[in-house]
């Protein structure tokens, strides 16, 4: 099964001016590790707003992406109010020293956790190496206003169970992003159902790949399908002419 996210971002990169494509990357971590947007940004020059609440990961993010080419950065969590929020993370030193798996770099969560940090399987790790920190949080519209963002083409939300609280703040009818990617696995059944209903109502095609859901607007999907069909026909014509 072809990944909608991959098809959509390659199409945007190849048929739009890459530097004109703007992505909101909410839960960027260090910009590279566990982040699927980095390769497309490097290939096509997408610009974006990178959001990461954990201070040491944010510092690495800014260093890895670099403050150039119109990229923006926000060292906050996105929630439904402006202020401070408690987050659970695994001590950096324990990960750096190999005492726990590197996957815990990307598993910080707003309290109480809804992701792996809240499961029985990770309870021992959390009890031994867990660390509570307080970080700034900001509403989605406050984020856009702060950074003077009036449009965005791609929104990726990887907030370890806090994802739907962020998603439902987005005025999709106003902004109509072309591509949406959201972590699916940590959502409740009710949140998953509401998410699908919203996407269907606004004419997004969607699919679940691994732990994430990707949605692409019908308009962009039509362009992608048409381009792929044209390329396929052109390839067939070349084969016929060659024969």
């Amino acid at each position: 099964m072809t990944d909608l996210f991959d098809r959509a971002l390659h199409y945007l990169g190849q048929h739009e001016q890459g530097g004109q494509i703007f992505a909101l990357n909410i839960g960027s971590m260090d910009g590279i590790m566990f982040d699927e947007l980095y390769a497309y940004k490097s290939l096509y020059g997408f610009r974006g707003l990178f959001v990461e609440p954990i201070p040491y990961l944010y510092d690495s993010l800014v260093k890895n992406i670099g403050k150039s080419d119109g990229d923006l950065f926000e060292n906050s969590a996105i929630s439904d109010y402006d202020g401070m929020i408690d987050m659970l993370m695994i001590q950096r030193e324990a990960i750096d020293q190999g005492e726990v798996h590197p996957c815990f770099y990307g598993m910080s969560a707003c309290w109480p956790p809804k992701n792996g940090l809240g499961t029985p399987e990770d309870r021992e790790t959390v009890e031994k190496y867990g660390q509570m920190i307080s970080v700034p949080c900001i509403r989605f519209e406050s984020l856009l206003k702060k950074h003077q963002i009036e449009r965005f083409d791609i929104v990726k939300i990887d907030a370890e169970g806090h994802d739907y609280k962020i998603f439902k703040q987005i005025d999709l009818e106003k902004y109509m992003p072309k591509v949406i990617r959201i972590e699916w696995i940590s959502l409740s059944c009710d949140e998953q159902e509401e998410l699908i209903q919203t996407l269907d109502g606004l004419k997004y095609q969607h699919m679940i790949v691994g732990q994430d859901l990707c949605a692409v607007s019908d308009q962009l999907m039509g362009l992608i399908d048409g381009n792929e069909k044209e390329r396929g026909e052109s390839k067939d014509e070349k084969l016929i002419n060659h024969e």
Side-chain angles (χ1 to χ4, degrees), residues 40-53:
Y40 301 98
K41 174 178 172 54
S42 299
L43 184 61
Y44 297 119
F46 296 163
R47 297 179 303 115
L49 169 59
F50 298 83
V51 181
E52 173 54 47

Side-chain angles (χ1 to χ4, degrees), residues 24 28 42 53 65 105 108 114 119 124 160 184 199 203 210:
L24 296 183
S28 301
S42 299
I65 300 299
Y105 279 120
S108 57
K114 296 181 180 179
T119 64
E124 183 178 349
E160 303 295 340
W184 172 263
L199 295 173
K203 301 187 182 304

Side-chain angles (χ1 to χ4, degrees), residues 33-234:
M33 191 184 299
F34 309 132
D35 193 279
E36 61 278 356
L37 270 177
Y38 181 75
Y40 301 98
K41 174 178 172 54
S42 299
L43 184 61
Y44 297 119
F46 296 163
R47 297 179 303 115
L49 169 59
F50 298 83
V51 181
E52 173 54 47
I54 304 302
Y56 81 88
L57 290 175
Y58 176 81
D59 291 341
S60 296
L61 168 68
V62 175
K63 180 179 178 180
N64 290 335
I65 300 299
K67 290 188 175 181
S68 61
D69 301 324
D71 289 321
L72 304 168
F73 299 87
E74 177 66 35
N75 188 196
S76 301
I78 309 303
S79 193
D80 53 2
Y81 64 95
D82 298 326
M84 301 293 291
I85 194 167
D86 291 330
M87 296 191 67
L88 173 65
M89 58 179 282
I90 300 300
Q91 296 171 15
R92 178 184 182 182
E93 294 76 13
I95 310 174
D96 288 344
Q97 295 169 12
E99 297 177 47
V100 295
H101 194 278
C103 70
F104 285 102
Y105 279 120
M107 287 181 66
S108 57
C110 294
W111 185 261
K114 296 181 180 179
N115 66 341
L117 297 181
T119 64
E121 292 78 10
D122 289 330
R123 182 177 299 155
E124 183 178 349
T125 299
V126 170
E127 289 177 351
K128 189 172 183 179
Y129 301 108
Q131 178 182 353
M132 292 292 296
I133 63 171
S134 184
V135 302
C137 66
I138 187 172
R139 292 178 298 114
F140 185 81
E141 280 295 333
S142 298
L143 176 76
L144 298 186
K145 183 177 181 180
K146 177 179 178 179
H147 293 278
Q148 300 180 341
I149 295 171
E150 297 180 351
R151 54 161 289 273
F152 50 92
D153 305 286
I154 304 162
V155 56
K156 190 219 77 176
I157 306 173
D158 186 356
E160 303 295 340
H162 214 59
D163 311 72
Y164 193 68
K165 185 168 286 189
I166 298 169
F167 173 82
K168 66 183 182 181
Q169 295 181 60
I170 304 175
D171 188 341
L172 292 179
E173 293 186 80
K174 176 181 178 180
Y175 296 108
M176 284 302 295
K178 298 177 176 69
V179 184
I180 300 167
R181 189 169 185 129
I182 182 170
E183 191 173 54
W184 172 263
I185 193 171
S186 297
L187 302 183
S188 69
C189 292
D190 288 344
E191 289 173 339
Q192 291 176 347
E193 183 177 350
E194 290 176 13
L195 173 60
I196 294 298
Q197 289 177 351
T198 299
L199 295 173
D200 286 343
L202 292 173
K203 301 187 182 304
Y204 279 89
Q205 297 187 34
H206 49 80
M207 67 185 300
I208 298 166
V209 177
Q211 298 184 351
D212 300 307
L213 178 143
C214 177
V216 177
S217 68
D218 272 5
Q219 181 180 15
L220 177 57
M221 210 59 241
L223 295 173
I224 294 170
D225 288 340
N227 177 68
E228 291 176 351
K229 181 179 179 181
E230 182 180 339
R231 287 172 56 193
E233 290 177 347
S234 299

